[in-house]
Amino acid sequence: MEKKMTTMIAAVAVVAVVLVAGAFVILNNDDDGTKNAAIASQLQIRGNANDDYTIDGKDLDIVNDVIAGTKTLAEYPLADVNNDGVVNDDDVSLLKDLIDRKDGTTVYVVCLDRNGDSTTVQVTYPLRNVVPYGTNMQLPTLYANGGQYVAGYFVSSYTTAEASISSTARDLEGSQRKISDAAWSNFTALDASISGGLGAILVDYSGISAISEKRMGDLNAAGIPMICYESADATAEITTVLTLGFLFGGECETMGVKYAQTAWNLIKEINDKLKDVKDEDKTSYICCTMYIYICGASSSFNTSATTAGGVAYASLNSDFNTTYTDNSTKMASVEALSKFTDVDVIINNRSMDWGLTEEQIKDLVIDTWDHDNSGKSSTEYFAKFLDKLVYIDNLLPGAVKLAYMAHAMYGDTFSREWADGVLQDYIDMGTLPLRGQTLDTVLAYIDLSTYNAVTA
């Protein structure tokens, strides 16, 4: 079984008048010819038979055609609405309830399990009382305007970006990279305190180690579904927002569609403008995080930069590829990158809250560029790369991060003003984390010229 492919963007296509982009879904059906079937899908919900961004009458037509034998389940795996391996009148009945957005309907969600394989979990529509784990899942939840349905959170580190979390949500007292036993006890106690229990725990796959086998047993025993995606990847994040928006329903579904369509338009624009660039002429990049940690080839930061049109330096330099195999590896010394100076761009991913004054932005630029890493400035680690180094705010919507990555790698094709315009689009659309923000209150992008300007 191929792993961790559920929400990787695979294609861009035009459906009716709406631009949509595809994502691989690996379905675990057994004896019906669809095992390991890979289909392009955006909305990760069974019943989305035509693999687009919503569930409507077009899906019902396909389900009826599968029942009639004019189409096959192998061609349309998500026509199996109730995940029982066959398509019949039960699927028609459930799909009609989904089309009507009927309260109390059981929804079968395609997502990842603890091993990174595709699975299907059941939740009740509309989804309520969720607990997200990790910033890379918490922000997509909020971008879908689902903060009002957050019953608890393990950590909230960003005062402005995460301000739309419900004021009644319980702080479970975890951390960004670990759920302590005490925090897990708080989680299970929260579930017990809610009539009907928690609707779901939402997990980014990069933090799946926190959901041990024992804790997975706790979830199963309590009937708490786990919805897990590789939402740290910029394109997978788009699908995550779309799917969560649908599950929350109402205004959240509308927001999820706007959020995703804007992103898919951006991806198509990047692809169109770079379509004639030969592979050997593409910009090479190394991604970093936490200032001086180098990202391995499989890191979601690297897959995001590839979507933005670049080519991973790991694919060009075997020495680099074999040295940096983990998702992130701390630089052993300031000379760690000295053999790799032929890379074109270094993209450093840095989570930075917004709602900043002009003076706060200046201070944040300086602190980021000159950051003290146990007595050594980041400028020492990147001394040979300062004109190639950029920092991009990792809290931003996935499409916005892609825009700034594209600018960093192809500045003549994608201007800074263009990337700023993408950020403005997301501010204007009404997603709550960016409510009240402007281009002057969000530090989205730092390069050498930014640093020089504030220190002049």
Side-chain angles (χ1 to χ4, degrees):
M1 171 59 68
E2 191 169 4
K3 296 183 179 180
K4 294 179 285 186
M5 294 291 285
T6 301
T7 53
M8 184 179 296
I9 295 297
V12 177
V14 175
V15 176
V17 296
V18 180
L19 181 70
V20 296
F24 280 125
V25 178
I26 307 301
L27 297 167
N28 297 325
N29 296 323
D30 289 322
D31 298 319
D32 57 3
T34 63
K35 184 172 183 179
N36 297 343
I39 62 173
S41 182
Q42 299 84 51
L43 181 64
Q44 306 289 286
I45 305 292
R46 286 187 173 273
N48 180 28
N50 67 347
D51 317 324
D52 66 359
Y53 63 94
T54 191
I55 291 179
D56 55 19
K58 296 176 184 177
D59 301 299
L60 183 59
D61 291 340
I62 291 173
V63 169
N64 282 325
D65 286 344
V66 173
I67 293 173
T70 57
K71 289 182 170 63
T72 69
L73 183 56
E75 295 173 294
Y76 298 95
L78 292 183
D80 180 10
V81 187
N82 63 3
N83 193 38
D84 66 355
V86 296
V87 180
N88 54 29
D89 289 344
D90 290 341
D91 296 287
V92 172
S93 178
L94 179 55
L95 182 53
K96 286 180 178 178
D97 287 344
L98 286 174
I99 292 171
D100 291 340
R101 308 302 195 260
K102 181 179 176 181
D103 284 5
T105 298
T106 298
V107 183
Y108 293 80
V109 184
V110 179
C111 56
L112 298 175
D113 64 15
R114 286 186 64 250
N115 298 317
D117 293 323
S118 179
T119 189
T120 297
V121 301
Q122 297 175 227
V123 302
T124 300
Y125 178 91
L127 183 61
R128 297 291 185 265
N129 294 323
V130 300
V131 173
Y133 172 59
T135 301
N136 290 322
M137 180 56 81
Q138 199 145 286
L139 263 298
T141 303
L142 304 184
Y143 280 132
N145 288 357
Q148 59 195 308
Y149 305 124
V150 173
Y153 54 90
F154 288 102
V155 63
S156 180
S157 303
Y158 304 99
T159 302
T160 302
E162 296 177 329
S164 60
I165 293 175
S166 171
S167 61
T168 61
R170 181 176 174 184
D171 183 354
L172 303 176
E173 301 177 359
S175 69
Q176 286 287 4
R177 295 178 178 85
K178 183 179 180 181
I179 300 177
S180 67
D181 289 342
W184 189 255
S185 294
N186 291 336
F187 169 78
T188 57
L190 175 64
D191 174 61
S193 72
I194 295 173
S195 176
L198 291 170
I201 183 172
L202 313 176
V203 180
D204 167 48
Y205 191 76
S206 67
I208 197 64
S209 61
I211 311 300
S212 64
E213 187 173 347
K214 180 182 181 302
R215 287 176 177 176
M216 197 70 220
D218 292 342
L219 295 176
N220 292 334
I224 305 171
M226 180 180 75
I227 298 176
C228 179
Y229 293 118
E230 282 195 306
S231 47
D233 173 80
T235 46
E237 181 253 25
I238 297 162
T239 298
T240 303
V241 174
L242 177 67
T243 301
L244 292 178
F246 178 89
L247 293 173
F248 293 136
E251 177 270 336
C252 294
E253 180 180 357
T254 302
M255 176 55 61
V257 171
K258 287 196 296 185
Y259 189 98
Q261 288 174 345
T262 301
W264 293 328
N265 277 310
L266 172 89
I267 292 170
K268 184 177 186 300
E269 182 178 359
I270 291 173
N271 289 341
D272 286 348
K273 288 185 176 180
L274 298 179
K275 65 182 179 182
D276 295 327
V277 179
K278 298 178 181 178
D279 287 345
E280 60 267 26
D281 296 327
K282 288 185 176 180
T283 298
S284 64
Y285 65 83
I286 292 173
C287 280
C288 296
T289 186
M290 296 182 290
Y291 299 104
I292 58 169
Y293 283 73
I294 299 174
C295 300
S298 63
S299 165
S300 58
F301 292 126
N302 276 318
T303 56
S304 297
T306 297
T307 302
V311 57
Y313 187 73
S315 68
L316 305 175
N317 187 302
S318 59
D319 187 13
F320 179 90
N321 187 46
T322 55
T323 302
Y324 298 104
T325 56
D326 295 335
N327 273 343
S328 62
T329 304
K330 187 176 181 180
M331 292 191 206
S333 71
V334 296
E335 294 296 320
L337 291 175
S338 60
K339 297 187 295 183
F340 312 121
T341 54
D342 57 330
V343 69
D344 295 319
V345 175
I346 293 182
I347 300 172
N348 213 319
N349 299 273
R350 163 100 160 91
S351 294
M352 300 179 285
D353 203 0
W354 42 75
L356 304 174
T357 65
E358 182 178 358
E359 194 62 32
Q360 287 172 326
I361 284 181
K362 288 178 63 176
D363 291 342
L364 187 53
V365 169
I366 295 170
D367 176 72
T368 299
W369 201 261
D370 295 335
H371 186 74
D372 180 13
N373 304 280
S374 301
K376 293 186 182 295
S377 168
S378 290
T379 57
E380 293 185 63
Y381 286 91
F382 298 108
K384 300 177 181 179
F385 304 89
L386 294 180
D387 59 340
K388 301 179 178 182
L389 175 65
V390 302
Y391 290 85
I392 295 175
D393 187 353
N394 189 48
L395 298 184
L396 292 170
V400 180
K401 290 185 282 189
L402 291 175
Y404 284 109
M405 286 180 179
H407 166 64
M409 294 185 288
Y410 302 97
D412 292 339
T413 302
F414 303 103
S415 69
R416 173 64 187 272
E417 291 73 22
W418 170 84
D420 286 342
V422 176
L423 172 55
Q424 188 65 57
D425 287 342
Y426 276 86
I427 292 173
D428 293 342
M429 76 170 55
T431 182
L432 289 179
L434 287 166
R435 173 183 282 179
Q437 300 308 308
T438 70
L439 296 179
D440 294 327
T441 63
V442 178
L443 180 56
Y445 184 90
I446 305 170
D447 61 9
L448 182 59
S449 64
T450 311
Y451 176 76
N452 288 338
V454 302
T455 55

